[in-house]
């Protein structure tokens, strides 16, 4: 079964994350098993991006969401390693600035949406506004609960304008998050990543899972699907995401634009 089908949340599906195994590896035993396929996918992605840029018809938007230490940065580093930076824009969404907070929650997001020919990567996204915001009651329930419909309308607008939207939830277990935090504490080279706030957020794990389940269940139409990626094994996470990207880009059926003139008649003197 294709990874796109296996991990995609169907429109209207009610997601229960306990039913998804974060250790799943589709029968592959180790990194070595995945290495060749990952390399092929990364090479293929480079070709497809070239075509995307040349055709200048579609934009591709990838949104990455996960709990702390879930692997968003590692995914970008590995899966996007073959991408030409010229056609790619990465945006990390942090706590909104004063100016951003004075606008509607999609204002900063819309500005970061990739244009035709580009791949845009969101490291966190507008979904924070129904995740951290919901878990911490940063706005009243009446406000965040309207946002699912607002997000659906916004993503429909983008899709109608030629943006292919793919949203990845990197699914790690609570035990794996513990192991990754402990590794950061042990490893001096990773101390810069240690944030005591992350340990506080961890206490709210169940609330976060409930918020993720709501977002995954309510916002996965066919034109802007969520994928739940088993992410305890970093190599499988990278393989699955690269595979879904290749499948999706191939599905766009892109063509090089016709030359501006009869190239066979041109002579360079
Ligand atoms: P990091 O990705 O580790 O640099 O952290 C960014 C922080 O910004 C995380 O704690 C997010 O939860 C937080 N954040 C991102 N978007 C929002 C938002 N819309 N409202 C509140 N906090 C946010
Ligand atoms: Mg962080």
């Amino acid at each position: 079964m294709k990874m796109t089908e296996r991990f995609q949340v169907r429109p209207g599906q009610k997601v229960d994350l306990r039913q998804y195994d974060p250790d799943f590896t589709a029968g592959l035993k180790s990194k070595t098993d995945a290495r060749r396929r990952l390399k092929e996918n990364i090479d293929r992605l480079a070709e497809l991006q070239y075509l995307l840029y040349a055709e200048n018809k579609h934009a591709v938007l990838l949104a990455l969401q996960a709990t702390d230490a879930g692997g968003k940065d590692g995914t970008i580093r590995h899966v996007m390693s073959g991408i030409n930076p010229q056609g790619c824009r990465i945006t990390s969404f942090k706590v909104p600035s004063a100016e951003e907070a004075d606008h509607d929650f999609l204002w900063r997001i819309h500005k970061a949406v990739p244009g035709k020919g580009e791949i845009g990567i969101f490291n966190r996204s507008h979904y924070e506004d129904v995740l951290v915001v919901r878990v911490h009651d940063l706005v009243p329930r009446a406000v965040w609960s309207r946002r699912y419909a607002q997000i659906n309308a916004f993503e429909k607008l983008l899709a109608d304008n030629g943006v292919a939207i793919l949203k990845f939830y990197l699914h790690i277990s609570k035990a794996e998050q513990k192991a990754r935090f402990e590794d950061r504490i042990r490893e001096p080279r990773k101390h810069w990543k240690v944030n005591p706030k992350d340990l506080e957020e961890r206490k709210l794990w169940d609330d976060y899972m409930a918020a993720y389940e709501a977002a995954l269940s309510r916002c996965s139409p066919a034109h802007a699907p969520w994928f739940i990626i088993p992410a305890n094994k970093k190599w499988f996470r990278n393989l699955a995401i690269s595979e879904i990207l290749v499948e999706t880009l191939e599905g766009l059926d892109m063509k090089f634009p016709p030359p501006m003139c009869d190239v066979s008649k041109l002579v360079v003197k």
Side-chain angles (χ1 to χ4, degrees), residues 114-170:
K116 292 191 168 73
E118 281 183 331
I119 296 183
I121 300 168
F122 284 0
N123 185 340
R124 304 187 189 270
S125 67
H126 41 306
Y127 284 91
E128 291 292 325
D129 293 281
V130 287
L131 293 165
V132 64
V133 169
R134 167 176 162 151
V135 168
H136 287 280
D137 289 314
L138 299 181
V139 299
R141 170 184 275 266
V143 174
W144 62 249
S145 60
R146 282 200 298 268
R147 289 184 173 167
Y148 300 96
Q150 290 164 345
I151 288 173
N152 286 336
F154 170 66
E155 292 179 354
K156 178 78 169 69
L157 168 76
L158 300 185
D160 286 347
N161 280 277
V163 185
I165 306 168
L166 301 169
K167 302 173 300 197
F168 296 101
Y169 167 57
L170 313 181

Side-chain angles (χ1 to χ4, degrees), residues 11-12 19 24 31-32 37 40 52 64 66 71 89 95 118 136 157 204 215 220 241 246 266:
Q19 306 294 318
F24 180 80
K31 200 175 178 166
T32 338
R37 253 165 89 187
E40 282 168 7
L52 180 86
L64 294 170
R89 191 146 58 115
V95 176
E118 281 183 331
H136 287 280
L157 168 76
L204 301 167
S220 192
I241 294 178
V246 168
L266 285 185

Side-chain angles (χ1 to χ4, degrees), residues 5-238:
E5 286 161 32
R6 188 189 293 264
F7 301 128
Q8 183 172 341
V9 177
R10 301 282 143 210
Q13 185 189 328
K14 181 96 186 57
V15 172
D16 173 358
L17 282 171
R18 286 166 305 183
Q19 306 294 318
Y20 289 80
D21 177 10
D23 277 308
F24 180 80
T25 58
L28 300 171
K29 295 278 182 302
S30 72
K31 200 175 178 166
T32 338
D33 285 352
R35 189 173 288 140
R36 196 179 45 83
R37 253 165 89 187
L38 179 61
K39 168 84 172 59
E40 282 168 7
N41 289 346
I42 288 173
D43 292 348
R44 183 78 187 114
L45 269 179
E47 287 168 24
L48 287 162
Q49 186 203 12
Y50 186 72
L51 186 52
L52 180 86
Y53 192 78
E55 192 190 41
N56 199 42
K57 183 173 159 193
H58 305 275
V60 177
L61 172 57
L62 316 177
L64 294 170
Q65 286 287 161
T67 54
D68 295 306
K72 299 185 297 294
D73 298 284
T75 299
I76 296 172
R77 199 164 58 243
H78 288 99
V79 180
M80 303 304 155
S81 57
I83 297 284
N84 175 358
Q86 171 134 297
C88 179
R89 191 146 58 115
I90 304 175
T91 313
S92 298
F93 292 100
K94 311 280 182 185
V95 176
S97 67
E99 191 191 20
E100 288 167 349
D102 279 345
H103 291 82
D104 71 86
F105 77 106
L106 293 169
W107 181 73
R108 65 175 183 164
I109 307 293
H110 209 158
K111 285 199 295 185
V113 169
K116 292 191 168 73
E118 281 183 331
I119 296 183
I121 300 168
F122 284 0
N123 185 340
R124 304 187 189 270
S125 67
H126 41 306
Y127 284 91
E128 291 292 325
D129 293 281
V130 287
L131 293 165
V132 64
V133 169
R134 167 176 162 151
V135 168
H136 287 280
D137 289 314
L138 299 181
V139 299
R141 170 184 275 266
V143 174
W144 62 249
S145 60
R146 282 200 298 268
R147 289 184 173 167
Y148 300 96
Q150 290 164 345
I151 288 173
N152 286 336
F154 170 66
E155 292 179 354
K156 178 78 169 69
L157 168 76
L158 300 185
D160 286 347
N161 280 277
V163 185
I165 306 168
L166 301 169
K167 302 173 300 197
F168 296 101
Y169 167 57
L170 313 181
H171 184 39
I172 61 166
S173 61
K174 198 175 178 190
E176 178 64 19
Q177 189 194 49
K178 181 167 191 278
R180 291 185 188 186
F181 282 168
E182 285 171 349
D183 181 56
R184 289 177 178 186
I185 291 166
R186 239 186 343 259
E187 211 17 272
R189 283 186 76 247
K190 294 186 179 167
H191 282 175
W192 67 274
K193 290 193 200 182
V194 175
N195 183 348
K197 195 180 143 262
D198 292 352
L199 304 187
E200 290 304 308
E201 292 304 289
R202 178 173 164 78
K203 295 180 187 159
L204 301 167
W205 181 273
D206 292 343
D207 295 342
Y208 270 104
M209 291 304 114
Y212 269 108
E213 285 172 345
L216 294 163
S217 303
R218 298 176 68 174
C219 302
S220 192
H223 58 264
W226 272 108
F227 297 90
I228 300 174
I229 304 296
N232 274 4
K233 301 277 183 287
K234 294 172 183 172
W235 56 267
F236 185 76
R237 170 200 77 200
N238 293 340

